[in-house]
Every structure is written in C-alpha cells, then in structure tokens.
Amino acid sequence: MFESLTEKLGQVFDKLRGNTKLSEEDVDLALREIRVALLEADVALPVAKEFMAKVKDVAVGADIIKSVSPTQQIVKIVHDGILAMLGDAAESALNIDVTPPAVVLMVGLQGSGKTTTTGKLAKLLTKGRKKVLMASLDTQRPAAQDQLRILGEQNSVATLPIIAGQNPIEITKRALEAAKLEAYDVLLLDTAGRLAIDDALMAEVASVRDIAKPVETLLVVDAMMGQDAVNVATEFVTRVGITGTVLTRIDGDTRGGAAMSMRFVTGKPIKFLGTGEKSDAIEAFKPDRVAGRILGMGDVVSLVEKAVETMDRDKAAEAAKKFQEGKFDLDDFRNQLAQMKQMGGVGSMMKMLPGLSRMSGKIDEAKLDETILKRQEAIMNSMTKRERGKPDLILNSGSRRRRIAEGSGTTVQDVNRLMKQFDQMQTMMKKMRKMGMGGMMSMAKGLLGGNAFDAMVADAAAQDPAAFEKMKDSLPQLGANPFASLGMGQQPKLPGGLPPEFFKGKK
Amino acid sequence: MGIWPFGKKDKDEEKQAEAPAPEPAPAPEVEPEQEKSWLARLSDGLSKSTSKLTQGIVDVFTKSKLDAASLENLEEVLIMADLGPRTAAKIVATFGARKFDDNIAPQKVREALAEEIEKLLAPVAQPLTIKKPENGPFVILVTGVNGVGKTTTIGKLGKWIQAQNHKVMLAAADTFRAAAVEQIQIWGNRLGVPVVSKDVGADAAAVAFEAYERAKREGMDVLVIDTAGRLHNKSGLMDELGKIVRVLGKHDAAAPHATLLVLDATTGQNAFAQVEGFKEVANLTGLVVTKLDGSAKGGVVVGLADKFGLPIHAVGVGEGLADLQPFTARDFARSLVGL
Ligand SMILES: Nc1nc2c(ncn2[C@@H]2O[C@H](COP(=O)(O)OP(=O)(O)OP(=O)(O)O)[C@@H](O)[C@H]2O)c(=O)[nH]1
Ligand SMILES: [Mg+2]
C-alpha cells in the first residue's frame, strides 16, 4: 500500500529535468513527498519535521551532479540523513565490562517483547562466555515469570528461582544477592510492561533502578510502533533513564520509522534488532538495515551505487551521442548489453527499479531467461569489428550470417532475429532524434519486446492486483529511471524485441 | 449498542483524569420523540427548519473557513494520533470546506472535527453479537501479531460472555510461546471456566479441533480460542492459522463464527498490513483495539474503517478482567482530537 518514495520523487523531478541547481522550490516540492513518506513510515511528526529541515539545508542550492538525476540526489541526501540520524553500529555494544555483576535492566510497554529479548540477550552473552543470570520482576502479567524460566531452561541460562508473592523490589534485591554470591558476570532484569503514563509503575521501576544500579537500561520497543514513540521515549528517558533501545519485530513488514523517533528523542543508540521469535533471532543494530526500509528506497540507493560502480561513463556518453546522431551501431549495442550484464542482468536491474522492486518475487518467478542475452552477445562477438560498424554487410550476405551463426553456436534464425531487432531499434531512433537516448531500462524493455514485457506485467497483475495497482503508475515512466540523467531522456517503447519465450513464465 | 455489564474500577477512574479513555456507553434511552404528540413534533420540526434558514443567512455574513494555519494544526493533531498522513489530509480537506464563526473557540473547532470523525467511525462501532448455533458452541477465534493483547482480551471477553449468561470455554491454541498455556490457564481460573490445552509444541489446529468437540459435548455456549502471536508476513505461521480455521469448519461449516483481530493502539500504519494479512487467511469479522489506557490513540482505525469497514467491537483499557469496553464512535473520535 505504500508507494515508494523514489516513485513519487521521480514524478516530481520529471518536471525539473535540465536544471543545474536544486532550487528551494524544487526541494520544497520534494519535501512534501518526503514528509508523507516519513509519516507513512511512522516517523513521529516532530522528528520528521526536524529531519526535513536538515534535508532542506543540505539540499537547497546543491549543485546537481551531472551523472545522477535530481531524484537520485535527493534520495541520497535523505538516505544519508537517515543513516546519520540512526547513529552508527559501533555504539551498539553492551557496556558490561564492569565489576560483576553487570546489571542490565529491560524496560518498555506491555507486549513490546521484553521477555523474549531478555532470553535472546542471555543466550548471546552466554555464547560470549559470560555467566548470565536472568530474573523476572513481572508480577503483573499472568505466567510472565514462568515464561522467563522456560526460556532459561530452553537455552541453558540460569533464572532466579520464583518465589510467589514477592514484589519487584524484593525480587531485585534477591537477584542482586544471588548474582554476587554465585559470581555471575551479568544479571538481566526483565520487568513488567508498563504504560509510560502510569505514575505508580514508572516510580516502581525507578526504585528498581536505584537498587540495582544497572550499567545498561534498555528500552524495548516494537518496530511497528506509531506516533506514541515520542511519548514513550520521553517518559522512559526522564523517569527511568535509559542507555539504549532494542527494536523488536523487525522481521515484520513495517517501515520502522519508530527507529528514527526513538534515536532522535532518546539520543541513545539503538543497540539490537529483534528479528524473529526464536532465541537466536537477535542482531547487533546496523543502521543500513533500517535506513533502507524506512522509505523503501534501499532499491534505488543500491542501484545508484551499482551504476556508479559499473558504468563506464565514457562509453555511456559516447553511446548517448551516437544514439542521438542516429549512428548507434552493433558495437554500441554490444557494449550496452555487456554493461547490463555487469549490473546483474535484466532481472536484477528490474528488481532494483522503483515500482518493480516490490515485485521482485514475481520477477524471480518469471525466470527471465538471461541466456538469451548471452546468446545475443555471442552472436555479436562472432561478428567482425567491421561488420558491427556496418550492419548492412551482414544483412546483405547469407554466408556472413551463416558464419556468424556457426561461430556463436546459434542458428541463422537467431542471427536474423537479432538483426531485425537492431534494425527496429535504429528506425525507432531515427524517429526520435530530438528525444535523446532512451534509458537503459527502456532498452531492456525493447530487448524483452514490448509484448513479453507487457505479458509479464499482465501476469503479475493477475496474480497480485493490489501490487499492480500501485505499480501501474510507475510503468509509463520507466524512462524516468535512474539512468535518465546519463544523458538519456524519455522514450516511447521500442517495437519488436526479444521473442516472448524470453520469459519462461511458470504459468 | 449492547448492554455492557462492566463498571469501571476505582483505579481506572484516577487514570481517567489524566488519560482520555473512552467512557462507558450511556444507558440506552427511550427516544423522546416517540412520546411526543404529532403536533408537538410538527412544531418542533418547523422551528428547527426556520432556525436553520435564518442561521444560514446569518452565516453568510459572519462565518468563514478556517485559515490554513489552523487547518494545518488540526492535521498535525490527527497525524500525531496515528491517523496517517493521507487519512489526516483527507479529513482536514473535507473539514476545511466548512464555515465557522470568525471568533469561534478552538475547543469548538475540535468538537466539530470530532463529529466529522465520529461519522466515519459510527458505521463500524458494532458490538459483538453471540448467536449460539443449534448443535454446538459459538466459536470465537482470536488472532493478531505478537504481544498485542490477545490472551488478556480473551480473559476480559470471557467475563463479558459470562455476564450474558453464556457458558464459556477457552482453548489454548498458542502452543508455541513459552508459558502461553499457563497464562490462559490463569485467566480460566480467574473466570472459573475450563481451558482446553495440550502440550507445548502440539498442533494448534488439533487443540482447536478437540476443544470444539469438548465444548459441544459439555454443552458450552461459547468457545474462545487463543492463538499464538504471528506476524502477518510469515506465510508458514499464517498457513497454520488457516489450518485452524479449516479444521473448525469440519465441525461446523460456519465456524469460527467470529474471527477477531486484536490491534495494539500503539501500532502505526502497519495496522493496514496486519488487517490485510489476517483477512487473507482468516475471514476476519471484527477488531478489538487494546491498550487505549495509555498515551497512544489508535487513530489508525479511522483509515481502517474507511478501507475495510470491519466492525470494531471493543476496546481494551487495562490489564484487569473488567477493562474491556464497547467501542463508541463518539468517545473514540473525541479522544483522537484531544477532547
Ligand atoms: N495497559 C494495557 N495493557 C494490556 C492491554 N491488553 C493487554 N495488555 C498487556 O499487554 C501484554 C501482552 O498481552 P498478552 O495478552 O499476553 O498479548 P498476546 O497478544 O496474547 O501476546 P502473545 O501471545 O505473546 O502474542 C501483557 O502485559 C498484557 O497485560 C490493555 O488493554 N491495556
Ligand atoms: Mg497470548
């Protein structure tokens, strides 16, 4: 149900192509979309506002880098901003190298995942050769203490014996004593879930803190949390004091904007991510894992990075020029194919594109037959340089075509098909001299053949109407792809192309 | 609105002072109009329409639309209540067309906005109705993602069902989470009702299947089935839920008669994906929103009401047996705008 930010930004910046600096209006236009995207991702409003002000500062007046589009540039600024805001992975270590026992206090709302996380941390620390004791101070929820005991049994971690009727303060004292007496390195204190506005229970956990003197107090937060993150963070920071947060259920499909809210409001690092229900489903926090998903733009960021890595700029510029002059020959065609292959083939390129990214499953299922690309490359490789520069030589000579087919291990029909396709591309190009060069993706579409491409889209639509509904809008603007700025403008769809069997769809 | 048998605990009354929690539904009143004579009604109607007419004329001169800043402020209030940017914008756009007295108090504006939202919520404010089938129990399946309050809600629901003089049985079909069985067992003890359970790791569908048999045999009116928390994007776990639904259908094609999704009020926009995911495998019949005793407002349900139209049966306002209340559009809408 979320449109990816890049799609939206693509629509905004389509209109601005050709500018050399990001103007304030351009940026404001983009920020409007960014605001919606952040809020859809559940970033708390005050945090989103602050963040946008920063993005604006950086973006207004920035030179438009020639090799990337304004969309990419803004996306990059936003992405970098989110990364910066989330803090770095190095801060995520637990500070437990103190005179034992190091006490870790787990706090949070009801149902945020404290007990499960306590069990996971215990297991993690045990693996790191720490002697760990867990104690549940949750006298509130039925069977909560049993839950921790069972988790301890499952993972061979000691838990403080349960004494019915004791209150959290009494349990804390007993746990401290036991931890000292039995020389535990770490004591994990799991507490009952409590509302941030529950005065009595917030005071109670503050007294537990005063007695236990934890070196770490971790606020456990559900990644699906919405705007209330601000209240929760504020209350727990001021009334209990925390040293870090743990974000649970990151294995869900939430955008996880709560991560930004938490980091921003608490000023404390996010230390761990909960990634599942099992005891080892915990990871040290990595900002990029969270940053990409917040705006669903990991796809474009990695595409840009890949493009920058693998694109041979000079070749691309040369190809663009030739394309524009209508002098695009088979050599250029071959180069384009090679680059496409370097980027992981058509399938992975398509997956990285906004709009198509959500359908990556479908694209895998469609089993793009990359061997056809390989075959085409082979055909062109067995042409001579002269032939590639003058395709007419091939068109006019059956014996050349036979030789090429044999040399590439294909058939004359294959060679004919490629020539026909190339011819169509050229005709097309002549028609659209003024429009500049089609983006590589448009070329991909051309290669796949409009029919095959549309067939895949229709197939996807039938299987997943909801996803298609969202994707539909982005399809016509495939030309507005991240390569657009590489001197390639929008282009109507190329005719012809690869035969439909390019898609061995698994219907 | 059904008759809701719970009063509030004293402790909650204190909380109420600081946290805007929905109030119990007002006792149903006899429509006053029905007792009036036709003449009285006619003149009432007339005066209403004349006053409307004159008011309209006055309005043209003294009323205007709210300015952009006020509208933005209202939109932000809604966003911070988790309505989401789109739903908030939509509501405020409609609202922005309305005209108000130039010197209207902000409080009044909020009241008007609450009324607007109330209209959106009114159609989904429907109590859960229990109709026991001829030969077997009325089956309620309780679903939701992890930690939203399913088990606790079942405890409270059990009390509500008992208050309607139904015999109720619980089934512990969360066979996964540590101490889940013990937890629902304690609720069963509190209610004095039987809890059907198997060992940890047992097939959840088998628990449901056998619980139905036992409930039928023992002449139960209602069977409430607890399920393990699961994320809606995990197909394996969702298939397991689908299986529970299917085996119940073998006993009674109409079972489960009610399938509830429990939503945590602190949840943001992911609630949409949750409803979508659970709807796909289990034919959801209604929602329960929990943890409304906290600072979270649960505004995402406004968008949910618009998109899915699923009835919202009740709200959870605490951890005790009595902390379940009917969902009332008016109270909820007012709390969203901070009234
Ligand atoms: N304040 C408050 N807490 C609630 C409410 N409903 C449930 N809780 C608490 O939320 C926590 C989780 O509740 P459970 O009933 O165990 O949730 P669940 O959905 O069954 O959890 P799993 O079975 O682990 O997925 C417990 O601490 C409950 O006491 C509510 O309406 N208000
Ligand atoms: Mg449960």
Side-chain angles (χ1 to χ4, degrees), chain B residues 248-263:
Chain B
L248 286 168
K250 285 184 187 161
H251 282 301
D252 173 355
H257 306 89
T259 304
L260 309 182
L261 180 73
V262 180
L263 278 180

Side-chain angles (χ1 to χ4, degrees), chain A residues 141, chain B residues 147-152 154 174 177 180 183-184 226-229:
Chain A
R141 207 200 68 191
Chain B
V148 287
K150 293 176 291 299
T151 310
T152 310
I154 288 173
D174 179 354
R177 208 205 67 198
Q183 186 185 356
I184 192 167
D226 190 15
T227 62

